[in-house]
Amino acid sequence: MGEQFNTPRRAGSELLAAITALRDVDRTSLSNEQALELLCDIETAARIVAAISVASVIDVSDRGIPDEAGAGTVKKLLMQTLRLSHAEAGARVAAAKSLGSWHALDGSPREPELPHTAIALADGAISADHARRIAQEMKRIPALTPIAERQAAEEILSDFARTSIPDDIPKVGAEIRAHLDPDGTLTDDHDRQRMRGITIGRQRADGMSPITGEITPTLRALLDPLVAKHARPGMNNPDDPGAPGIVNGNTVIGDTTTNRDALAAAARRDRRSAAQRTHDALLAILHPDNTGQHWGTHRGVPVSTILTMNVADVEKAAGVATTATGGTVPMSEALELAQTSRPFLAVFDHAGAPLHFGLTKRFATREQRMALIATLRGCSRPGCDAPASLCATHHVRDYAKDGPTDITNETLACDACHALIHDGPGGWKTVAMDQHSQYPGRTAWIAPAHIDPTATPKINHRHHAAELLTHALNRIHDRRERERQRHQKRIHRHHPPRITVGSEDNPARIGDISLDTC
């Protein structure tokens, strides 16, 4: 046992020693690949430690240590002993409740509330953030949902999390709830109105005020396009007297494309965070000099709420409408907004591709851009979550290479991803998927050789929750099929099939499979 962790205390000491040694490693001697491998190993280890921490929190609770220490609750004990914040201590207790194996009154262990998620965390395949998002989605599933369906939902989410980022989990969760509750009896408008609210906290001595709350889908849909325009880098920057916008009296708030050079120069000077830009955008929107008719255009489309509705959902007055900023609005509220809107009719084929708008000029029309918004919903580069409101129209086959300004040759790309497309070393390429592919007409991106040596065209599924769910289900199906085949091989290896030839009334059997003899 000399080299083994023969006691928990020894194990903890060995862990601290290993981490301390790793801290002192000379990283300058590592290659780029080794540095990346080390980063991945550290992350995996941190995730496994998080799973061990869950078990430790449960052990502390079972022993009654919080009462002995005078803390009263596990949460207060963690705050006092580990010097955690109120929020972090609460998060760890919540993780223990959903991922830990607690004990019944008779001392027998109980399975975790989220067993598949607990296994994935213990494997180091997902992070604590993944687990929190999964727990949040599971809480939104109706209590009357059958146990088997709840278990299946948790398995899908945990399996999906193994290969995706936490930000995409709510999308798959929403798609699962739509399948579990196709009639829309989940959170209704009454619940949303009950939860709505914005709290502006007490003004501090420094003059600042905290703000928290939850806003309804309708308010979000109305605010998003305004913020998308006024919070662009370079817009409404109070630290830049020459910035376009309202806050400095530079009321250049119409079509920003007519001030492209000025905005680009201001964006290069902009050092604000995204949160600071949002603050300054709201200040501009609420400024007395600003009124609705002066909001102008954003990327060629009037600054307005763009809603995309499915005809079947409109007929049923159920489901949701999607916005250009990636949000959703309940159909009942969307129809109310549509009563005073200027409608734009976009018709799509069976594959979801918009109608052809053939033009010879370089820049896409407003109608083409709105069709792309309705179809793609956001940046088309795989992994990017930028909504349509932050994207430019991109020629799949470059305009300089005789690429037409047709809807079939256009896609959406955010500014950062758009800059990755070039013919030089490290440049990305875009191609249109042909009619025989799984996603005909969609734009696929080809990563440079140092990222993907196989140059495999890939589609972005992040703006299409149904596709994310389908991929998660396919992975689970493939895994179960492999497990079934391995199980069959084990059975045949330990119990070779016995062949018995029978009569017409007593057919032959091979294992559990019945065969009629000739």
Side-chain angles (χ1 to χ4, degrees):
M1 297 292 291
E3 299 299 325
Q4 301 295 319
F5 290 159
N6 52 5
T7 66
R9 182 65 180 175
R10 171 79 180 278
S13 299
E14 294 283 356
L15 175 63
L16 289 175
I19 293 175
T20 302
L22 183 61
R23 180 189 62 190
D24 298 331
V25 167
D26 180 15
R27 290 175 175 77
T28 59
S29 62
L30 300 178
S31 65
N32 289 351
E33 292 183 356
Q34 291 172 331
L36 184 58
E37 288 177 358
L38 177 60
L39 181 64
C40 293
D41 289 341
I42 292 173
E43 177 61 24
T44 300
R47 295 175 177 186
I48 296 174
V49 168
I52 298 173
S53 177
V54 165
S56 296
V57 169
I58 295 174
D59 183 52
V60 166
S61 177
D62 286 346
R63 293 170 181 267
I65 294 178
D67 290 332
E68 291 183 2
T73 65
V74 177
K75 180 178 179 179
K76 290 183 178 179
L77 178 71
L78 296 178
M79 294 172 64
Q80 296 172 5
T81 306
L82 304 182
R83 301 185 301 282
L84 300 180
S85 69
H86 187 278
E88 177 61 22
R92 296 199 187 183
V93 172
K97 290 180 178 178
S98 60
L99 303 175
S101 179
W102 295 78
H103 295 86
L105 294 177
D106 60 0
S108 60
R110 294 183 300 183
E111 187 179 57
E113 292 180 10
L114 306 176
H116 296 284
T117 307
I119 292 173
L121 182 64
D123 290 343
I126 67 173
S127 66
D129 192 19
H130 282 103
R132 280 194 292 270
R133 301 290 184 96
I134 293 174
Q136 290 170 358
E137 293 306 309
M138 290 300 298
K139 288 180 179 179
R140 293 174 180 149
I141 293 179
L144 296 179
T145 302
I147 294 177
E149 294 186 0
R150 291 183 64 87
Q151 292 173 342
E154 191 261 333
E155 181 180 2
I156 292 171
L157 288 171
S158 63
D159 190 81
F160 173 77
R162 286 175 176 263
T163 57
S164 305
I165 65 173
D167 294 341
D168 285 342
I169 291 175
K171 300 178 183 179
V172 177
E175 196 69 19
I176 290 174
R177 292 195 299 276
H179 282 275
L180 293 176
D181 187 44
D183 297 328
T185 56
L186 286 174
T187 304
D188 57 17
D189 185 61
H190 176 75
D191 294 321
R192 283 187 288 271
Q193 296 303 324
R194 175 177 51 83
M195 291 185 290
R196 81 188 190 283
I198 297 176
T199 301
I200 301 177
R202 181 178 300 175
Q203 191 172 27
R204 301 194 302 260
D206 58 5
M208 302 298 287
S209 303
I211 181 171
T212 59
E214 296 189 31
I215 61 177
T216 60
T218 301
L219 179 55
R220 174 71 185 256
L222 293 171
L223 279 176
D224 272 348
L226 298 175
V227 173
K229 177 193 172 90
H230 289 285
R232 290 184 68 180
M235 284 288 288
N236 293 297
N237 187 353
D239 300 323
D240 183 0
I246 304 168
V247 294
N248 297 316
N250 301 321
T251 53
V252 185
I253 56 178
D255 189 345
T256 55
T257 60
T258 61
N259 305 281
R260 190 180 302 276
D261 294 339
L263 181 59
R268 288 192 293 270
R269 301 191 298 267
D270 199 339
R271 297 294 180 267
R272 296 173 298 169
S273 66
Q276 289 172 327
R277 294 201 308 270
T278 299
H279 173 278
D280 297 339
L282 291 176
L283 177 63
I285 292 168
L286 297 174
H287 196 280
D289 291 341
N290 193 12
T291 59
Q293 64 266 28
H294 293 151
W295 283 329
T297 63
H298 177 57
R299 297 187 185 272
V301 176
V303 176
S304 58
T305 301
I306 301 176
L307 299 175
T308 303
M309 307 179 193
N310 183 291
V311 172
D313 291 338
V314 172
E315 292 176 345
K316 295 183 300 183
V320 297
T322 58
T323 70
T325 51
T328 60
V329 177
M331 187 56 62
S332 59
E333 299 178 28
L335 291 174
E336 289 184 10
L337 290 173
Q339 291 177 5
T340 56
S341 70
R342 295 180 59 189
F344 170 80
L345 176 63
V347 183
F348 305 92
D349 63 18
H350 67 280
L355 286 178
H356 177 81
F357 290 97
L359 296 172
T360 57
K361 64 180 183 179
R362 175 165 188 172
F363 296 107
T365 66
R366 182 188 69 161
E367 289 76 14
Q368 286 176 313
R369 178 167 175 80
M370 293 179 74
L372 290 173
I373 291 173
T375 310
L376 302 179
R377 305 175 188 173
C379 181
S380 58
R381 189 174 76 90
C384 183
D385 63 351
S389 58
L390 298 181
C391 294
T393 303
H394 163 67
H395 286 73
V396 179
R397 178 157 62 93
D398 192 50
Y399 182 81
K401 299 177 181 178
D402 298 325
T405 307
D406 295 348
I407 198 69
T408 53
N409 189 50
E410 293 175 336
T411 189
L412 294 178
C414 69
D415 294 341
C417 293
H418 205 176
L420 298 175
I421 305 172
H422 57 83
D423 294 327
W428 289 67
K429 306 289 187 273
T430 54
V431 296
M433 302 297 285
D434 62 37
Q435 59 180 351
H436 302 295
S437 69
Q438 186 177 2
Y439 304 100
R442 292 274 289 278
T443 302
W445 290 57
I446 301 175
H450 71 278
I451 296 178
D452 181 11
T454 66
T456 302
K458 295 181 179 179
I459 299 290
N460 189 9
H461 301 287
R462 295 197 62 183
H463 304 287
H464 305 270
E467 293 175 4
L468 294 175
L469 177 60
T470 298
H471 283 280
L473 290 173
N474 287 340
R475 285 197 301 270
I476 291 176
H477 173 77
D478 292 342
R479 188 182 71 244
R480 288 182 172 177
E481 179 62 22
R482 291 193 299 270
E483 291 174 351
R484 187 191 68 80
Q485 293 176 0
R486 287 196 296 268
H487 180 65
Q488 290 293 330
K489 289 180 180 179
R490 286 196 297 270
I491 292 177
H492 287 191
R493 185 167 57 249
H494 297 293
H495 302 284
R498 183 179 59 198
I499 302 178
T500 303
V501 178
S503 63
E504 183 176 352
D505 296 329
N506 184 22
R509 298 184 66 82
I510 299 179
D512 293 327
I513 303 176
S514 177
L515 298 177
D516 291 331
T517 57
C518 299

